[in-house]
Amino acid sequence: MPATSLEQIVSLAKRRGFVFPSSSVYGGLASTWDYGPLGVELKNNVKRAWWKAVVHDRDDMEGFDAAIVMNRLVWKYSGHEATFSDPMTDCRNCKARPRADHVFAAQKGRDPKNLDEINAAIAAKELKCPKCASTDLTAARPFNLMFRTTVGAVDTGDDSGLAYLRPETAQGIFVNFGNVLDTMRRKLPFGIAQIGKAFRNEITPGNFTFRTREFEQMEIEYFVRPGEDEAAHQAWIDARKQWYRDLGMRPENLREREQSKDELAHYAKRCVDLEYKFPMGWSELEGIANRTDYDLKAHSRSEQNPDAVGSLTYFDQQAKQHIVPYVIEPSAGADRATLAFLCDAYEDALVKDPPAEETTKLRELVESFVKSTAKRESLAKDVKDRLVAEGEAIASALPGSLPRLLGLMEDTEANKIEVMKKLRGVGEKIAEEHTRTVLHLHPRLAPITVAVFPLKKNEGPLVESAKSIRQELRQAGLRVVYDDTGAIGKLYRRQDEIGTPWCITVDFQTLQDGTVTVRDRDTMKQERVAAKELPGSLSARVR
Ligand code: ATP
């Protein structure tokens, strides 16, 4: 059973050290998260897999790492200073400040064409506050998403020291196009890849790490001759989709979405979003745009840009002239990809049926949850309908639906119903013994590749042998842990929950014939294997 709500992922992430709410000792900071010991390994593995696929495994790519704070003029001429904003409206009645384009789209069933159209609808009282339904809304105003900072020791009070935390990594690549071209003696087509932090003062962050104000991007700018752009664009769409698939993402959870003409940024010729089916619905994972020659021209000296020192062009040997390349931009989020891989890997599974009397007790409690929910006046109708339907489906299919009950037990709305406390008390105990939570992460992404256990922790030779196997696996470049803090069954379950693909148990037979038990996370099958073969065979499966 995959995760039915994001809360299940958030709960596992906190419980097992993937992601914590940031600054929690001071009460946190809204929509800001810190990656814990396992989360940082997972995210690093995602970034490493991306870098390998788009830089090391290709002949036409270079890597790059630009500064976060750049000359303010970069953001003036990229267009961000003037246009990187969301239109906001204020409700005079309840003081809410919703995004006006979202209000328009939700209430009119289509995206607005521009700010004027939104404001005409507000003036005609056609739009309502999504919180209190008042039509007393102010005209929408653009709210710039860039974080401002000051460069230098003295804040002069004017804008002379003004700088921005970059809202995307892309511009750092565009303004270095000439440097890379010249120093690496590149010919078209070629691309530049970069991973780095970006900052956006998002109005509506949320959905865990899906939308935050500080996040990491993995961006490629791929430069081609005009005329070769459409084929290169399609090739990148295919390559990027395949990358997620190669790392185990389920095909049914990944789709392409072609942006409509109305949605396209003014400079873009075509843009395809790769979307993932997150528990909260299909949402953008990566955007792959044909940005034409807009960016390189924008940063080249011209009547519109007297501040640039030169031209970002390419000398075409065949045509004997300078041309401005077109740019294909596959732009992904490292945090969003990490979250998608986590969601995709998550499974709650029944491992054995609980005794009949426990199932009956659980069924009665779920039925009583359904009854209380149906009677609850204060719940919104859609929430009530969802919880009742989910409860009924679970009650009718127990014990098989026990994994599904785990999702309901994490649901924020369901936890507002009194009987849920009792249901959790009983359900969690039964689940602990009869279900397992497992992350089916690709071995290349798993934070830990192998866990090694001695059958008994008090037997010196077993411990010694287990530790020496750990050392050999480490030397083969694998991420390995040693654990002897519980019974083997319990240790398996702990490793399942964090996605470790293989567990190795060292027992008395190991001391005689050098074989160990290798237990596979996904199939739970155990195999007797010669320990000396493991460094080679396991590292081959991680590459
Ligand atoms: P969205 O429509 O979701 O706001 P966007 O179209 O503005 O995204 P881009 O500017 O194309 O996003 O950025 C490229 C990628 O960077 C996105 O596909 C996403 O993976 C990631 N990204 C953008 N904004 C955020 C954010 N606030 N938090 C986390 N990741 C983000």
Side-chain angles (χ1 to χ4, degrees), residues 200 202 210-212 215 217 284-287 331-333 336:
R200 295 181 189 177
E202 299 276 8
F210 178 82
R211 190 182 304 286
T212 50
F215 55 98
Q217 289 190 311
E284 178 181 329
L285 192 54
E286 167 161 357
S331 173
R336 253 185 224 184

Side-chain angles (χ1 to χ4, degrees), residues 67-305:
I68 288 177
V69 176
M70 295 188 280
N71 190 315
R72 179 185 164 189
L73 293 172
V74 170
W75 306 108
K76 175 175 175 183
Y77 290 106
S78 68
H80 284 78
E81 255 190 353
T83 62
F84 192 61
S85 56
D86 285 339
M88 309 300 295
T89 174
D90 288 298
C91 172
R92 291 195 185 90
N93 183 44
C94 75
K95 311 291 175 228
R97 177 177 284 179
R99 260 184 74 168
D101 53 336
H102 285 176
V103 175
F104 187 102
Q107 295 175 19
K108 294 257 183 193
R110 65 173 175 84
D111 289 328
K113 289 198 182 73
N114 49 38
L115 196 62
D116 289 346
E117 194 183 17
I118 298 174
N119 282 333
I122 289 176
K125 306 263 176 226
E126 289 166 8
L127 300 184
K128 286 191 208 125
C129 169
K131 203 163 160 208
C132 73
S134 163
T135 53
D136 196 4
L137 302 173
T138 63
R141 283 160 298 129
F143 176 87
N144 197 293
L145 299 180
M146 284 197 291
F147 277 98
R148 294 156 71 98
T149 187
T150 306
V151 173
V154 187
D155 187 350
T156 49
D158 56 19
D159 273 351
S160 58
L162 175 64
Y164 301 102
L165 302 188
R166 67 181 175 200
E168 61 174 33
T169 59
Q171 299 302 324
I173 298 181
F174 293 132
V175 297
N176 276 286
F177 168 76
N179 291 336
V180 177
L181 179 71
D182 295 345
T183 52
M184 306 313 287
R185 303 187 8 250
R186 279 288 179 181
K187 299 259 173 299
L188 290 181
F190 78 97
I192 305 175
Q194 174 169 221
I195 298 177
K197 290 264 180 169
F199 303 81
R200 295 181 189 177
N201 206 354
E202 299 276 8
I203 316 297
T204 47
N207 282 325
F208 196 30
T209 52
F210 178 82
R211 190 182 304 286
T212 50
R213 296 194 170 101
E214 172 179 344
F215 55 98
E216 233 169 332
Q217 289 190 311
M218 307 189 290
E219 293 198 298
I220 298 164
E221 306 304 330
Y222 192 76
F223 303 98
V224 296
R225 283 195 172 74
E228 293 172 8
D229 51 312
E230 290 179 13
H233 190 192
Q234 190 55 49
W236 272 110
I237 295 166
D238 299 341
R240 293 299 307 136
K241 198 167 165 194
Q242 192 57 41
W243 181 79
Y244 292 101
R245 302 273 295 269
D246 288 346
L247 288 168
M249 195 170 275
R250 292 163 215 255
E252 66 273 23
N253 289 343
L254 186 66
R255 73 176 185 194
E256 288 176 28
R257 192 181 70 83
E258 185 86 36
Q259 283 195 7
S260 67
K261 287 267 170 293
D262 287 349
E263 280 174 274
L264 279 182
H266 63 94
Y267 47 76
K269 187 167 160 187
R270 183 185 174 211
C271 184
V272 170
D273 287 345
L274 295 183
E275 294 190 330
Y276 180 75
K277 198 175 176 190
F278 288 95
M280 68 278 186
W282 286 101
S283 313
E284 178 181 329
L285 192 54
E286 167 161 357
I288 307 162
N290 180 341
R291 298 177 66 111
T292 68
D293 55 8
Y294 176 81
D295 305 277
L296 292 181
K297 274 190 175 156
H299 291 299
S300 294
R301 195 173 175 89
S302 68
E303 236 170 72
Q304 290 76 37
N305 184 348

